[in-house]
Amino acid sequence: MTENWTFSTLGKIAAPGGNGLVDGPFGSNLPASSYQPHGVPVIRGSNLSLGPGALKDKGYVFVDEELAQKLSRSLCSANDIVFTKKGTLGQTAFIPENARYRRYLLSSNQMKLTVNERIADPKFVYYLVSSQSSIEKILRDSEATGVPKTNVAYLKSFPVFLPPLDEQRSISSLLSSLDDKIELNRRINDTLEAMAQAIFRDWFVDFGPTRRKVQGVTDPVTIVGGLVTDPTRAQELADLFPPTLGDDGLPEGWETRVVGDLLEGSIGGDWGSDEPMGQSNHRIAVIRGTDLPSIEEGGTGSVPYRYTALKKAQRRTLRSDDIVIEVSGGSPKQPTGRSMLITQSILDRFDSDVVCASFCRRFRTLSPQVSILLSLHLSVLYAEGGTWKYQNQSTGISNFQTTLFLETERVNWGGELIAGAFESLVRPMIERMRTNENITLGATRDLLLPKLMSGEIRVGEAEEILEAAQ
């Protein structure tokens, strides 16, 4: 099945001219002091992934146009492949045609490959170098002393096994169809998250429904923010909001409640041990703060499985509608206080009890309605930098002052009916955001990728597998 395939190297399939395979600028040429809020984005390790995955097209630092031109040899654009040179080796990213920016600058710890498209299909090469076998080879061959690193010379000699160009394109097209669906789901999730936060801000921060009544608005759809198009349902929701604001600036009859009064309890997490020992023989999955973004995107992050005592696990096991909040870690540029609402779909991703790590806490609220409201309050608070005031860095590590937070952070509370109405609008969005579809799509892609890359199966056979799985 591979009689027409040929062996080559990344250096041989790189675009001619000397800029086909290059690394980022020396660190002294790209100091942190040159970063600014806007301009040409800099690709760093945080924008790459281990294994196939979309370019993480956010969280950039930027440099001005003058510096970008000075370092133009390290610029990359659509169809380029980016590799990590130092740090978490094996990470890659493919810059798609619809990338957020036209050009990117490599950081000092990255390299890029521009493929000669008359010889190879860039997307096929990307899937090849981001496969598990390629990652394992890069790690085996890396310099083992100190911080893991590799270099451009190594990439030039990296072997690749290529089918004819038309077959490369067919393979990359099939795998891309799965990744495109994964990326579409991520974008839908971003939209749903923005919508949920918009409803929260309108109802519980700006008091939009009441303010619109004060302004003489009578259309119930407009009163509730245009988010419910059914006039009957919109009227029911509009009737829940008072027509006036009190002297305290809240809608008449509303109050503020401290977060602690909305909780049934709060408990720290667990870390357990690597292996079962003594009474610590109960297997648990441990969610850390660093895992929260990946889990929210529909994955499992790098959540480790560990062992703890059964009684400890029973006290800390997460349930649907619990909230996990990171209370230690952070950095000078990133506060603690990241949080995530636990749903049943998240728990279903793991084959054991799930707890949060010892650097996190579990908030268990008084009701599912409160969970939805508080989770949005926390996410908006974090997004707007509101958790900075709860940092304590006396030990050199940023810690979240949980007791102070529970006793002083206030939530605008309009009563159980308002909380229930808010839940009815937002919970379907959150459940859709937490769907496990991307796990299935990713697993299917990861199953097919090595078989297609080795010639074990052809595109037609892979298509049959996909059809059978649907």
Side-chain angles (χ1 to χ4, degrees):
M1 295 179 66
T2 59
E3 58 272 10
N4 295 325
W5 292 40
T6 58
F7 285 100
S8 188
T9 65
L10 293 183
K12 290 179 180 178
I13 66 171
N19 287 333
L21 190 48
V22 300
D23 53 9
F26 288 113
S28 59
N29 292 329
L30 188 61
S33 59
S34 65
Y35 295 156
Q36 58 182 41
H38 305 286
V40 179
V42 179
I43 290 184
R44 298 176 292 175
S46 57
N47 302 116
L48 279 59
S49 301
L50 277 171
L55 172 70
K56 298 175 182 177
D57 215 1
K58 56 185 178 181
Y60 293 111
V61 295
F62 300 85
V63 298
D64 61 29
E65 185 65 33
E66 181 180 357
L67 182 57
Q69 286 302 317
K70 182 180 178 181
L71 304 174
S72 60
R73 189 169 182 270
S74 297
L75 288 172
C76 49
S77 56
N79 293 323
D80 283 345
I81 304 167
V82 181
F83 301 77
T84 290
K85 179 174 68 173
K86 181 179 180 182
T88 308
L89 297 186
Q91 289 188 132
T92 54
F94 182 82
I95 302 179
E97 296 282 355
N98 62 347
R100 186 176 175 186
Y101 299 94
R102 183 174 61 88
R103 295 175 307 155
Y104 298 81
L105 179 66
L106 296 173
S107 80
S108 303
N109 292 333
Q110 316 305 323
M111 305 176 286
K112 70 104 176 186
L113 167 68
T114 301
V115 173
N116 183 344
E117 297 188 32
R118 291 182 299 177
I119 301 175
D121 175 62
K123 200 65 178 287
F124 175 88
V125 177
Y126 165 70
Y127 281 118
L128 192 157
V129 298
S130 64
S131 67
Q132 188 61 37
S133 59
S134 292
I135 293 172
E136 291 172 355
K137 177 174 172 54
I138 291 172
L139 292 175
R140 284 196 307 269
D141 297 343
S142 66
E143 297 182 29
T145 58
V147 178
K149 55 187 175 181
T150 185
N151 53 52
V152 167
Y154 172 75
L155 283 190
K156 286 182 178 179
S157 64
F158 194 89
V160 292
F161 191 36
L162 302 175
L165 188 54
D166 58 347
E167 188 170 353
Q168 292 179 43
R169 291 170 178 153
S170 295
I171 291 172
S172 66
S173 177
L174 185 146
L175 295 172
S176 289
S177 67
L178 294 171
D179 277 337
D180 288 346
K181 178 59 176 172
I182 292 172
E183 180 59 20
L184 176 61
N185 285 340
R186 287 184 178 135
R187 293 183 181 183
I188 290 173
N189 288 352
D190 288 344
T191 300
L192 291 172
E193 182 178 14
M195 289 175 61
Q197 291 187 359
I199 300 172
F200 173 82
R201 287 188 176 96
D202 184 51
W203 284 23
F204 296 97
V205 178
D206 300 328
F207 313 125
T210 292
R211 291 189 183 279
R212 287 186 279 275
K213 284 187 175 183
V214 171
Q215 295 166 2
V217 175
T218 58
D219 178 13
V221 173
T222 303
I223 288 173
V224 297
L227 296 161
V228 179
T229 56
D230 176 14
T232 300
R233 178 59 176 152
Q235 185 66 64
E236 293 173 353
L237 294 174
D239 289 344
L240 297 176
F241 292 89
T244 57
L245 294 168
D247 294 337
D248 56 4
L250 297 173
E252 195 72 43
W254 282 40
E255 61 178 335
T256 62
R257 300 179 65 179
V258 295
V259 171
D261 288 347
L262 299 174
L263 300 184
E264 176 186 307
S266 168
I267 190 171
D270 191 11
W271 185 233
S273 56
D274 289 332
E275 301 291 338
M277 56 180 67
Q279 293 186 345
S280 296
N281 58 9
H282 185 74
R283 186 169 177 264
I284 52 173
V286 184
I287 293 177
R288 303 159 300 178
T290 188
D291 299 311
L292 299 183
S294 176
I295 292 174
E296 286 187 326
E297 290 180 356
T300 57
S302 301
V303 173
Y305 284 92
R306 298 179 66 82
Y307 296 86
T308 191
L310 178 59
K311 287 187 177 181
K312 289 184 69 175
Q314 289 173 334
R315 291 185 62 213
R316 290 169 172 80
T317 295
L318 296 173
R319 300 193 314 222
S320 180
D321 288 320
D322 283 343
I323 296 172
V324 171
I325 182 167
E326 183 184 38
V327 295
S328 187
S331 71
K333 294 185 178 180
Q334 177 182 297
T336 53
R338 287 186 296 185
S339 63
M340 181 177 68
L341 178 70
I342 299 297
T343 62
Q344 188 58 48
S345 61
I346 290 175
L347 300 176
D348 289 343
R349 298 172 198 171
F350 304 97
D351 61 357
S352 71
D353 287 337
V354 183
V355 305
C356 62
S358 51
F359 280 5
C360 297
R361 288 191 75 85
R362 183 197 71 193
F363 289 170
R364 181 158 290 165
T365 69
L366 297 175
S367 71
Q369 294 78 19
V370 172
S371 291
I372 295 292
L373 175 59
L374 182 57
S375 69
L376 265 295
H377 178 94
L378 291 171
S379 64
V380 169
L381 182 72
Y382 183 81
E384 296 178 348
T387 61
W388 278 113
K389 62 184 177 182
Y390 297 108
Q391 304 304 299
N392 182 336
Q393 206 162 1
S394 60
T395 62
I397 299 176
S398 294
N399 293 304
F400 189 76
Q401 299 181 77
T402 306
T403 300
L404 177 64
F405 176 79
L406 295 179
E407 293 176 351
T408 62
E409 180 64 26
R410 306 192 76 86
V411 177
N412 294 321
W413 178 254
E416 293 183 2
L417 290 178
I418 292 286
F422 181 69
E423 182 199 19
S424 71
L425 290 180
V426 172
R427 184 176 290 278
M429 299 180 188
I430 293 177
E431 294 292 347
R432 174 61 182 84
M433 289 161 58
R434 301 292 188 264
T435 177
N436 291 340
E437 181 181 10
N438 274 4
I439 293 179
T440 301
L441 291 168
T444 302
R445 179 205 58 209
D446 293 344
L447 170 68
L448 296 177
L449 191 154
K451 297 179 183 295
L452 288 166
M453 291 294 155
S454 65
E456 180 180 341
I457 63 173
R458 308 305 283 265
V459 171
E461 296 171 277
E463 290 174 339
E464 292 177 0
I465 293 173
L466 287 177
E467 290 178 5
Q470 293 175 354

